[in-house]
C-alpha cells in the first residue's frame, strides 16, 4: 500500500516551508520514524519522519523549493526491505524519476565536501566560501545552512575598495540573492504592518528599585536556585499582572470575533542562533515564580543557540516582549508578532538626570515601548497598560504582592 507523506503543521500563521535537505533518495528503504527530509521556516528547522516502514517510491520537490502545509512531498510503498537484487532493480526503475532532478544538483550532492549536506555545500560553492572559517552551531560541530546564511549576512572585513579609475559604482557593489529565510521574514514583517492598525506608545521607567533588589539578593538567589536573577523575569511578571487588568491587550482578532485569552503565554524574543531572532514562548507564565521564569528563559536561549527549539515552544503566545537594550538600543517601535495584538519593547538602561520631589537626581532610566493593534486596543487602554507596567517596575514589591 502506498502512503503519502505530507508537509506537517509548521506553527502558528506559517503556511509554507522550504526543503532544506533530503535524507533519503528514491529506492531507499526506511523504517517508521526515520527522517525523510528537513524543512526550514523563518522560525525553525523541522525534521519530517516517515509514517511507515517501506520503500521510497517518489520524492516531490528540490532543495530550496517552497512547499505548502499539507502538500504531498514523498510517497512510500509500505512493506519489508527488499532483497539485495530487488534493491538493484528498484534503483534502476527509479532512475528515470531521479533523472528529473537537475544534473547540477546531483553533482552538488556527489561533490559535497565531507560532512556537509548538499544544501550547505551548494551555498559554500556558490559564494566561494571556506567552510572552516564559518562558525558551526550544529550537533558535533556540524555546519548548518543557517550558519552559512548568517555568515553571508555579516559584513566581511578586509575588502579592498575598487580603484577610483574604474569610475562606476557597480564595481564597488556586491549583489547577493536573499536567502529563502530572509525573504520569508521580510514578507511576514510587511504583512504584519499592512494587516494591523499598528501604533506605538512610549513610557519611561526608573529601574533603581529593581537594581537594588538584584544587588541585595543576587548572591542568595543564586545559592537558592542555581541561576542569576535577571531583568526579564521582572518584565514577564509585570506584563502578566498588567494583562490581567487589561484583557484586550492579551486578546486577538479572528475574523469578525475578538478572542480573549484567560491564560498568559509570554513570548520572549531571543537572538544569537542560526535562525536569527526567534520568539519562543513561556507557557502559563502567571503560574511561575521568578526563578522558574529565569530558568525557562535560560533553557530557551540554549535551545535557540543550538537550533533545537521544538514547534511547541514557538506556539501559543498571547503577548511578546523584545529587548533591544541588550544591543544598545535607546528607543524603537517593535513590530507585532501576529496574531498577537501587542508587543512590549525594552531598551537600554541609561543614567539620566530626572526631577524627583523637586530636585534633579541621577537615576537609571529605561524607555518602554508598546506597539499595539488599534483595531482591538484603544489608545487609552494602551497608554494605561504601559503606565501600569512602569509602575510595577518602579515598585517591584508590588509584583510580588500582586498589588
Amino acid at each position: 500500500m502506498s502512503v503519502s507523506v505530507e508537509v506537517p503543521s509548521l506553527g502558528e500563521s506559517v503556511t509554507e516551508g522550504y526543503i532544506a535537505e533530503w535524507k533519503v533518495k528514491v529506492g531507499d528503504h526506511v523504517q517508521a520514524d526515520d527522517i525523510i527530509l528537513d524543512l526550514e521556516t523563518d522560525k525553525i528547522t523541522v525534521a519530517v519522519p516517515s509514517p511507515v516502514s517501506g520503500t521510497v517510491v517518489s520524492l516531490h520537490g528540490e532543495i530550496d523549493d517552497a512547499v505548502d502545509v499539507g502538500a504531498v512531498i514523498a510517497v512510500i510503498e509500505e512493506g519489508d526491505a527488499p532483497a539485495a537484487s530487488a534493491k538493484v532493480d528498484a534503483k534502476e526503475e527509479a532512475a528515470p524519476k531521479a533523472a528529473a532532478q537537475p544534473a547540477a544538483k546531483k553533482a552538488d550532492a556527489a561533490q559535497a565536501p565531507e560532512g556537509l549536506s548538499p544544501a550547505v555545500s551548494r551555498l559554500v560553492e556558490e559564494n566561494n566560501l571556506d567552510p572552516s572559517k564559518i562558525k558551526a552551531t550544529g550537533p558535533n560541530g556540524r555546519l548548518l545552512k543557517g550558519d552559512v546564511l548568517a555568515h553571508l549576512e555579516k559584513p566581511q572585513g578586509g575588502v579592498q575598495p575598487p580603484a577610483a579609475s574604474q569610475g562606476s559604482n557597480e564595481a564597488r557593489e556586491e549583489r547577493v540573492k536573499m536567502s529563502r529565510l530572509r525573504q520569508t521574514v521580510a514578507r511576514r514583517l510587511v504583512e504584519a504592518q499592512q494587516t494591523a492598525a499598528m501604533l506605538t506608545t512610549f513610557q519611561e521607567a526608573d529601574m533603581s528599585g529593581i537594581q537594588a533588589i538584584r544587588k541585595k539578593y543576587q548572591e542568595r538567589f543564586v545559592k537558592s536556585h542555581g541561576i542569576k536573577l535577571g531583568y526579564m523575569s521582572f518584565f514577564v511578571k509585570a506584563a502578566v499582572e498588567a494583562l490581567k487588568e487589561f484583557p484586550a491587550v492579551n486578546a486577538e482578532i479572528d475574523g469578525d470575533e475578538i478572542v480573549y485569552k484567560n491564560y498568559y503565554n509570554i513570548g520572549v524574543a531571543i537572538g544569537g542562533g542560526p535562525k536569527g531572532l526567534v520568539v519562543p514562548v513561556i507557557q502559563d507564565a502567571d503560574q511561575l515564580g521568578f526563578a522558574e521564569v529565569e530558568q525557562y528563559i535560560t533553557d530557551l536561549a540554549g535551545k535557540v543557540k543550538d537550533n533545537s527549539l521544538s514547534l511547541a515552544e514557538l506556539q501559543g503566545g498571547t503577548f511578546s516582549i523584545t529587548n533591544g537594550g541588550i544591543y544598545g538600543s535607546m528607543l524603537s517601535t517593535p513590530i507585532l508578532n501576529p496574531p498577537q495584538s501587542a508587543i512590549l519593547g525594552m531598551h537600554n538602561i541609561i543614567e539620566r538626570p530626572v526631577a524627583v520631589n523637586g530636585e534633579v537626581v541621577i537615576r537609571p532610566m529605561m524607555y518602554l515601548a508598546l506597539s499595539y493593534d488599534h483595531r482591538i486596543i484603544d489608545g487609552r487602554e494602551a497608554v494605561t497598560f504601559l503606565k501600569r507596567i512602569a509602575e510595577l517596575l518602579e515598585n517591584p514589591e508590588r509584583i510580588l504582592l500582586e498589588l
Side-chain angles (χ1 to χ4, degrees), residues 52 65 108 138 177 182-183 188 190 195 197 202 209-210 218 222 243-244 257 275 291 318 341 360 362:
V52 297
D65 280 357
D108 284 345
K177 184 177 177 60
R182 181 56 59 185
Q183 291 178 48
R188 294 192 70 224
V190 171
T195 302
F202 303 95
I210 292 178
Q218 186 70 269
V222 172
L243 289 170
K244 290 178 180 179
E257 297 179 329
K275 291 290 184 183
T318 62
S341 296
V360 176
I362 303 299

Side-chain angles (χ1 to χ4, degrees), residues 97-246:
K97 296 179 181 179
Q101 299 181 355
K105 296 201 173 193
K106 285 188 175 181
D108 284 345
Q111 300 173 8
E114 184 177 356
L116 300 184
S117 70
V120 173
S121 175
R122 186 172 67 258
L123 270 178
V124 168
E125 293 176 1
E126 288 177 352
N127 294 280
N128 195 27
L129 302 175
D130 181 354
S132 65
K133 295 182 179 179
I134 303 174
K135 182 179 179 180
T137 63
N140 301 317
R142 179 188 176 198
L143 188 64
L144 303 176
K145 182 179 179 182
D147 300 331
V148 181
L149 295 176
H151 178 80
L152 289 172
E153 291 178 358
K154 291 181 180 178
Q156 304 299 313
V159 179
Q160 296 298 324
S165 59
Q166 292 177 347
S168 171
N169 283 335
E170 293 183 2
R172 294 182 289 176
E173 297 175 348
E174 180 182 3
R175 291 181 177 267
V176 178
K177 184 177 177 60
M178 290 177 68
S179 67
R180 288 283 193 178
L181 174 61
R182 181 56 59 185
Q183 291 178 48
T184 302
V185 170
R187 185 178 69 252
R188 294 192 70 224
L189 290 175
V190 171
E191 287 175 354
Q193 291 182 306
Q194 293 178 339
T195 302
M198 193 172 74
L199 292 178
T200 304
T201 186
F202 303 95
Q203 185 61 261
E204 63 179 0
D206 183 344
M207 303 297 289
S208 56
I210 292 178
Q211 287 189 345
I213 288 179
R214 294 181 70 239
K215 182 178 180 180
K216 183 176 181 179
Y217 294 107
Q218 186 70 269
E219 185 176 346
R220 193 181 308 176
F221 191 89
V222 172
K223 286 182 179 179
S224 297
H225 304 291
I227 191 168
K228 288 186 176 181
L229 177 61
Y231 287 98
M232 185 59 77
S233 55
F234 288 93
F235 278 80
V236 169
K237 300 297 286 183
V240 168
E241 293 305 313
L243 289 170
K244 290 178 180 179
E245 297 180 35
F246 300 90

Side-chain angles (χ1 to χ4, degrees), residues 258-281:
I258 298 176
V259 182
Y260 291 96
K261 310 294 182 64
N262 297 317
Y263 53 92
Y264 306 92
N265 295 343
I266 308 300
V268 178
I270 299 175
K275 291 290 184 183
L277 190 73
V278 294
V279 189
V281 177

